[in-house]
Amino acid sequence: SAFEALTGHTTYMLAAASASTLAQPPRVWPRAGRKLQLNASAFTVNDYECMRIDTGDWPSERVHCELKPDDTYDWVVEHFDDTNCKRPNKHTPSVRHTASGCFVFKMYNHSYNDKCHPNRTLTVSAFYGPGCLTPMPVTAVNLPAERPKLTFGSPRRRLARLANAARQLAGLEAEEGKGKG
C-alpha cells in the first residue's frame, strides 16, 4: 500500500500532515433563529439575526458585519423600538464600530469585544466597564441555544484525504529518487 512504501522521513511528514488535518478547528455555527452560547459572556449568531439582548439597552437589535477594503470588518448595529426588529429607532437607527478589538459604550458603562467570522456569523462578548477586562453576562433572550455542531467530515472521508496525501508524498519521493541517479 502507499503507507508501506513510505520511508521514515516521509512517514514523519505524513504524520505531521495528518495531525494538522485532524487538529484544524471544527466548523461551528448556529441554525437560523438560534444562538451558540459560548460562555456566560459570549454568544454567536448569524448575520442579520434579530436579538433581544438582556443588557436592556434596546428593545431589539440586528447586527451584521461589513467587510472593508482592508479585509477588516465593521460591526453594524440596527436599533429598534419594538422587540421584533420591525420599527427602527428614529434617533439612533444604526451605529457602526470596529469588529476588531475592544469597543466601549461609555453611556452604559460596558464594553464589547465583538467578532465577525468569514462564515457570516458573529460573536457578541460583553464586559463590565471600559477595556474589555471583566466579563459581563450577556445573551439574546429571544434565541434558543443549541449545542455546537462539530463537522470534521466522515471517517471514510478523512481516510481518503490521508491516503491521497500519502500518494502525493510517495510521488514526490519517487521524483526525488529519479533525479539522484
Side-chain angles (χ1 to χ4, degrees):
S1 79
F3 288 104
E4 294 168 341
L6 301 175
T7 65
H9 177 68
T10 307
T11 302
Y12 172 77
M13 289 173 46
L14 176 63
S18 65
S20 69
T21 301
L22 297 177
Q24 291 176 355
R27 290 179 287 156
V28 180
W29 61 90
R31 292 178 285 169
R34 295 180 178 260
K35 68 183 173 203
L36 295 177
Q37 191 72 44
L38 305 175
N39 58 46
S41 65
F43 64 93
T44 298
V45 296
N46 291 294
D47 251 0
Y48 293 98
E49 199 73 69
C50 181
M51 300 179 286
R52 291 193 330 256
I53 298 179
D54 63 356
T55 58
D57 299 344
W58 299 95
S60 63
E61 303 176 32
R62 184 170 47 217
V63 177
H64 69 274
C65 297
E66 289 184 6
L67 186 62
K68 298 189 311 187
D70 65 356
D71 287 336
T72 62
Y73 288 97
D74 267 349
W75 185 270
V76 182
V77 184
E78 298 173 78
H79 299 131
F80 296 89
D81 289 335
D82 66 316
T83 58
N84 298 314
C85 297
K86 301 288 185 200
R87 289 182 299 144
N89 180 273
K90 291 179 184 173
H91 302 292
T92 313
S94 67
V95 295
R96 178 182 297 264
H97 65 80
T98 184
S100 56
C102 184
F103 182 81
V104 179
F105 276 105
K106 289 181 183 176
M107 180 190 321
Y108 302 111
N109 194 29
H110 55 255
S111 51
Y112 290 92
N113 190 3
D114 301 321
K115 300 287 182 211
C116 296
H117 308 292
N119 67 352
R120 307 304 293 174
T121 63
L122 49 99
T123 299
V124 177
S125 58
F127 301 84
Y128 292 110
C132 296
L133 299 174
T134 306
M136 178 177 91
V138 68
T139 194
V141 297
N142 62 316
L143 301 175
E146 68 179 348
R147 299 185 68 170
K149 179 180 180 182
L150 304 178
T151 308
F152 289 104
S154 71
R156 178 179 288 169
R157 193 170 200 187
R158 283 191 305 246
L159 185 57
R161 283 196 307 260
L162 289 173
N164 187 40
R167 283 192 294 278
Q168 289 174 354
L169 290 172
L172 290 174
E173 191 168 272
E175 289 293 320
E176 287 177 10
K178 289 180 185 176
K180 292 181 183 177

